[in-house]
Amino acid sequence: MLFDPYHSDALQLKNRLVMAPLTRSRAVEDNTPNGLMAEYYGQRAGAGLIITEGTSPSPNGLGYPRIPGLFSAAQAAGWRKVTEAVHARGAKIFVQLMHTGRVTHPDNLPAGAEVVAPSALTLSGQMYTDKSGMQPHPTPRAMTQADIDAALAEYVTAARLAIEAGFDGVELHAANGYLLEQFLNPHANQRADAYGGSAENRNRFVLDVARGVVAAIGAQRVGVRVSPYGVFNDMGAFEGMEAQYLALARELSALGLAYLHLVDHSSMGAPTVPAEFKAQLRAAFGRTFIGSGGFDGEAAEAALREGRADLIAFGRLWLANPDLEERLQRKLPLNDPDPATFYTPGAKGYTDYPRAA
């Protein structure tokens, strides 16, 4: 099943393999995609669907060094090189819109940008900056209603630019502790207005963004990624979490979105997402469901066969194996990824992994 085509009302894919979003930090000039990035994604276009690395819709969301943006014409032009390379090999590609919120440091932001979040709660730990090395996270400024309205408009603008750049759609990154999940989770959201306090209110910003983007580019061009039970960036489970996410899934389904993408980081040490809850979330959404987290070829086939997902996303396996689809189908050995080059500039550990003989 993994290598069979997949057809839904929103997606027409040559197989059921998805390349998961993978931050690679190669947008070295003005957070603009370049030819090296086009080569990287083009190499991996054996996937049915590629979801790009996290891409900020706002100068305020450029939390990590050298991550790409999508809020200027120059960035859209850079991304067009990527989409053309991917489409030339018959794959589809969605750009993941990721505003980092409080997961940043001013040294990583362009002039005039600032660290904002739902509440003025400081993220624990430190962050790498090219300018000063490791630095403690700053305390973000709590977003006003005007800030929320501006961020919503930035997502909509980025979605429109994505279509201009040739993307097949956008994925709203509401996982892994970034801005959208910061609104969802009371560990980061202690607001007392319409965007905090209750599960319905905490869901509001994600739904507002989804509705705005749907109005701009169409529901069939929009997916959402979520990570309940994830602990990255000071997230974690909370009272009423499952009910909140099931309500969110039903609301997103009602919008007619292309897919819901669930992250399970238990293979990397996070708590396991209970199988029963995964099934409930899948049923609540009722449309294309992408499973992600620690899959190999055999486990992916089993998940598809048993109806636990429609598509399976692979992360680090794609990073080190540009021809992953061929290696999985032929049951060939896999390259091991080199963590020392995950986020470094240049081709090493990026476009130089060998293909199978």
Side-chain angles (χ1 to χ4, degrees):
M1 294 186 67
L2 192 58
F3 307 100
D4 294 339
Y6 178 76
H7 301 290
S8 72
D9 58 351
L11 298 169
Q12 309 296 316
L13 307 178
K14 62 183 179 181
N15 57 46
R16 295 172 182 244
L17 287 88
V18 177
M19 177 176 165
L22 293 159
T23 295
R24 302 309 310 276
S25 299
R26 260 68 176 192
V28 293
E29 293 187 18
D30 298 324
N31 305 99
T32 299
N34 49 49
L36 183 66
M37 292 171 62
E39 179 183 1
Y40 166 79
Y41 283 108
Q43 288 176 342
R44 288 154 180 79
L49 172 64
I50 289 176
I51 305 170
T52 74
E53 62 208 277
T55 300
S56 181
S58 168
N60 293 340
L62 294 167
Y64 296 103
R66 293 167 268 106
I67 66 171
L70 188 51
F71 49 83
S72 72
Q75 290 165 343
W79 276 119
R80 178 162 284 282
K81 299 175 185 176
V82 174
T83 61
E84 289 175 350
V86 169
H87 288 152
R89 292 193 56 205
K92 300 297 177 64
I93 181 168
F94 277 42
V95 61
Q96 187 191 67
L97 298 181
M98 177 186 81
H99 189 308
T100 55
R102 67 178 183 170
V103 187
T104 187
H105 189 276
D107 284 352
N108 290 335
L109 298 179
E114 61 178 325
V115 183
V116 296
S119 300
L121 299 172
T122 308
L123 184 65
S124 64
Q126 296 181 313
M127 161 166 283
Y128 176 78
T129 69
D130 282 338
K131 179 180 178 181
S132 307
M134 297 300 293
Q135 294 292 312
H137 290 103
T139 299
R141 181 174 64 78
M143 296 170 74
T144 64
Q145 184 63 54
D147 293 321
I148 290 172
D149 294 342
L152 172 58
E154 288 173 328
Y155 274 99
V156 170
T157 296
R160 291 194 175 110
L161 285 172
I163 302 307
E164 290 179 19
F167 283 104
D168 299 290
V170 305
E171 176 177 279
L172 303 177
H173 194 7
N176 297 0
Y178 299 113
L179 184 67
L180 293 181
E181 192 184 10
Q182 289 165 29
F183 272 92
L184 292 174
N185 194 309
H187 295 316
N189 180 354
Q190 296 183 5
R191 301 177 70 91
D193 63 1
Y195 290 91
S198 68
E200 180 181 7
N201 285 356
R202 290 194 303 272
N203 281 349
R204 190 181 309 278
F205 184 59
V206 173
L207 292 169
D208 283 353
V209 171
R211 292 186 186 107
V213 171
V214 164
I217 66 172
Q220 295 183 346
R221 290 172 163 173
V222 184
V224 173
R225 193 183 209 212
V226 294
S227 58
Y229 287 95
V231 295
F232 191 51
N233 288 321
D234 288 357
M235 293 292 102
F238 53 89
E239 184 178 354
M241 182 185 70
E242 292 192 358
Q244 179 179 332
Y245 271 89
L246 292 174
L248 178 66
R250 287 189 288 269
E251 294 257 27
L252 293 173
S253 177
L255 294 176
L257 299 194
Y259 65 78
L260 184 66
H261 182 182
L262 174 67
V263 184
D264 182 342
H265 279 153
S266 58
S267 65
M268 300 172 67
T272 298
V273 182
E276 182 180 359
F277 175 58
K278 288 182 181 180
Q280 292 172 341
L281 194 67
R282 175 161 164 66
F285 186 65
R287 299 175 61 79
T288 298
F289 193 78
I290 303 178
S292 176
F295 282 98
D296 58 16
E298 185 176 338
E301 287 282 3
L304 294 174
R305 188 172 57 251
E306 294 165 10
R308 290 184 276 122
D310 300 296
L311 306 171
I312 302 295
F314 299 85
R316 293 189 180 191
L317 296 186
W318 277 117
L319 182 155
N321 297 275
D323 54 347
L324 180 64
E325 78 294 344
E326 180 180 355
R327 290 174 186 262
L328 291 178
Q329 192 161 24
R330 295 171 56 194
K331 295 181 168 48
L332 299 176
L334 300 177
N335 297 324
D336 292 324
D338 175 16
T341 59
F342 281 179
Y343 312 112
T344 54
K348 183 173 175 57
Y350 189 57
T351 54
D352 62 350
Y353 283 104
R355 302 180 72 88

